Amino acid sequence: MSMKLLKVDQLAIHLIQRSTRSNPAQPTLSEALTELTDQNRGFLQDRLRETLKKARPIIDDSDTSSPVPKLIRGLLEDGDDLLTVSRRLAEELQSKQAGISPSGLLLVAEVTLGSDSGVVLAKWEHERGARTEQVTNTDGKLVYDMQFLEDLFMTEASRVYKVALFLRSEVTTDHVEGRVIDPQSSGMSVAHYFRVNFLGCDYKVRPELQTEQFHGGARDFIGSLLSPEKRARYQVALMSEMLSNKDDLSVTGFSREHLDADDRDAFNRFMASRSVPLRSTIPKDLTLVRTQLKRMQVDFEHGTILLTPPDEMGPNGHVEFAEDNGVAYVTITDKVASVSGRGSIKLDDDGQADQT
Amino acid sequence: MNVDEALARYVSERHHFRDAANAIKEQLELVAGDIGITVVVHAREKDPASYRAKVADRGYSDAWAEMTDKAGARVIVSGPSEVDSFVSAVQKSERLRVVGQPEDKRDVINPESLSYSGVHLQVIAPAVAESQEPIECEVQVRTAAQDAWSVVSHKLLYKPVLELPKEDQHAVYRLVALMELFDQEVERVSAKLPTLPGYEFRHVLQAAESEFLALAHAQSYRSLSVEVLGALGEAVPRDVNYPTQLRSWVTANRGLLSDAIQTYGPHSDLQSSYRYTLFSQAELLIILERLTACPEAFTSAWQEAGLPIDWLRAVATYSDADVS
């Protein structure tokens, strides 16, 4: 979903305290909405638009005990008072936050996205930094004075935040849907307390299905390329990405890391056409693709089939690919362990090896 | 056909020649656009009084067939080399049919005299109706200096109320020397342009600046634009069609761009913030268009150019591109 038309109308900010089990804290609540100057509004919109691009769809869990979906429905459907609801949300977040979670600010903003209206819930943690100022010291000399600051937030490089957006058009009779982003965490277990305990939501699309979509889309794109060298190189990269220890898959991340610059936009467009999310990460779940990742198969035009474990491909393995004028050269540097007959290879009408 | 018959026919069919002149003008402007030069085109049908005077002056035996400039156009270009490139483009273009060879009046026939110069072509106007007889038009191609001399000399030498004394006629012809020097200087300076920074994307920048001015009501800093666009190299298209593509994109996204410039641009409270520098710059439009058309390739070029990533991240909030 495009965020470029997101505008902030009203804002409430509350302080969520750090607390421990033995000493539970209460949030410090605002008594009025925060005044938004053009400068603050512009900066906030900038940060939210950038952040929410990568947000992932969520949907309320019908069994949740969290009151948040109901509070959101009240704000968006019934026009409940923003300040009142935001105070209630702050109390809820404070109660659901684990003792080890740092303090931070809860921002609750009424927003519009084109003709739609919505609400943003964001927890932004405090950050530390310093500022300097040139002053004259007691000896009358110019020096830079340094001041340590502990109450910064929303800095441009910050990753310590969680942001959720709920739109009026996505609130139905049965469900409250939205999207959430937490760049500090990764994988399936991200900010469980924020997404599940506080928001009362879970991811809308099952990770194993999205993983299969990603793998299938990338494999088909690679298969459509003309250069055999590129096909081999990208296929190895795809296998490596799928089998790596990373918790997430990302279309733009994969294209930037593994594809040549002039293939990236085409890859992204292809994946978008297959409904694979471009900007949000996909929690990797190999349940549905595991069998496809055990062996990598390369089919040649004249019927030769090469089957190899993925980690054998490339400069670190024993099978290397090179290309010259559209002709592939495969070099296998290894000892022959055995040779056996496997029957005749059937060719289809196009001369391709029949894989059935 | 004698002059009275020809003139009567001309008066009754004059509107066809007016239409032909307008059609020729449109096609000539398109030819100029094809080769990326700016021209001024004046086109009109012949005035009936001029028709009669010219027949009398030239003594045509067939006052209809021999009058080949019943409709005509004048194309004014910047410098002498553009005269040649424009004439050549008209000859090669399929937009207009050229009759015969161009008449080059710049050829020096008598080295001791100075006179009018320019290149004349005969073209056939695009047919308005199938039944209509093809209309031939004269196209005069001149530099701005040649045109200035031609207009002034026409008034002073050929259509004076009183004939000028010989020394004053000489003074008018002497102006031709200035005209030639003027054109030489235009050519010399024009030849330097391709060596200047930013020349390769001047058309693109010009289009972006005019669109930005209309949106922001403020000029941007051209030196910064040249630095940014120069660093981006081939990531900014330089072909002659790109300005048109950019203008269309701006038109389609005017609301979004107005909001961006109003919130972060030159008259906003955030205009002095480093992060929003590009919102006060004309290249904002090019960058956003590129982020929409080919986000990955453009982001990659931006990073390779070593330009501030914060600038791109701020602009990218008005696109769907992921530049993080």
Side-chain angles (χ1 to χ4, degrees), chain A residues 36-91:
Chain A
L36 280 171
T37 62
D38 286 348
Q39 201 172 47
N40 292 341
R41 193 191 307 274
F43 181 65
L44 182 59
Q45 283 170 183
D46 170 8
R47 300 295 286 123
L48 291 176
R49 283 176 188 152
E50 187 175 34
T51 301
L52 283 165
K53 272 184 191 176
K54 293 189 173 182
R56 291 168 50 191
I58 51 173
I59 186 166
D60 64 333
D61 179 351
S62 49
D63 296 330
T64 186
S65 60
S66 167
V68 171
K70 199 173 171 186
L71 290 169
I72 290 165
R73 188 183 288 280
L75 264 178
L76 295 179
E77 281 194 333
D78 307 332
D80 289 351
D81 177 60
L82 176 65
L83 181 64
T84 309
V85 173
S86 69
R87 288 167 64 99
R88 180 73 192 85
L89 287 166
E91 289 166 347

Side-chain angles (χ1 to χ4, degrees), chain B residues 62-289:
Chain B
D62 185 337
W64 181 259
E66 290 180 71
M67 184 69 79
T68 55
D69 63 345
K70 299 183 192 77
R74 185 176 302 158
V75 181
I76 301 164
V77 301
S78 301
S81 62
E82 285 188 356
V83 171
D84 293 316
S85 52
F86 184 78
V87 169
S88 170
V90 173
Q91 288 178 298
K92 287 177 189 163
S93 173
E94 292 180 355
R95 296 185 186 281
L96 288 165
R97 186 154 66 87
V98 178
V99 181
Q101 287 300 309
E103 187 184 357
D104 194 340
K105 293 178 180 286
R106 297 169 301 179
D107 293 342
V108 178
I109 296 163
N110 179 0
E112 293 179 8
S113 73
L114 296 166
S115 62
Y116 167 76
S117 56
V119 179
H120 292 190
L121 295 159
Q122 291 296 127
V123 300
I124 304 294
V128 178
E130 280 184 21
S131 57
Q132 194 183 305
E133 190 180 321
I135 294 179
E136 195 173 319
C137 301
E138 183 182 78
V139 178
Q140 302 177 351
V141 188
R142 304 169 176 170
T143 66
Q146 287 165 349
D147 187 61
W149 185 84
S150 176
V151 170
V152 169
S153 66
H154 200 69
K155 279 184 187 169
L156 295 176
L157 297 175
Y158 301 116
K159 287 187 174 175
V161 177
L162 301 169
E163 189 171 345
L164 286 175
K166 286 204 181 318
E167 61 269 27
D168 291 327
Q169 288 185 32
H170 177 72
V172 174
Y173 279 108
R174 197 170 56 201
L175 289 174
V176 171
L178 279 181
M179 175 194 86
E180 290 183 356
L181 287 171
F182 184 100
D183 276 345
Q184 271 185 10
E185 284 302 282
V186 168
E187 205 64 21
R188 186 183 65 79
V189 174
S190 298
K192 272 194 172 178
L193 280 175
T195 65
L196 299 177
Y199 175 81
E200 63 277 23
F201 46 78
R202 67 199 186 287
H203 297 309
V204 181
L205 183 54
Q206 204 170 27
E209 282 178 341
S210 71
E211 293 292 335
F212 183 79
L213 187 63
L215 285 162
H217 307 294
Q219 301 272 2
S220 66
Y221 293 100
R222 180 171 279 182
S223 56
L224 179 58
S225 302
V226 168
E227 200 172 323
V228 170
L229 298 179
L232 288 168
E234 298 300 315
V236 176
R238 282 113 198 258
D239 60 277
V240 292
N241 298 322
Y242 183 63
T244 308
Q245 183 185 328
L246 180 67
R247 285 179 194 280
S248 302
W249 185 85
V250 169
T251 303
N253 293 278
R254 200 166 289 282
L256 184 79
L257 294 168
S258 294
D259 181 75
I261 291 167
Q262 193 181 333
T263 310
Y264 304 100
H267 302 302
S268 76
D269 289 349
L270 289 161
Q271 54 92 16
S272 60
S273 169
Y274 175 78
R275 180 174 166 89
Y276 306 114
T277 299
L278 290 177
F279 288 84
S280 296
Q281 288 293 115
E283 60 271 30
L284 169 77
L285 310 181
I286 299 169
I287 293 167
L288 266 174
E289 190 278 334

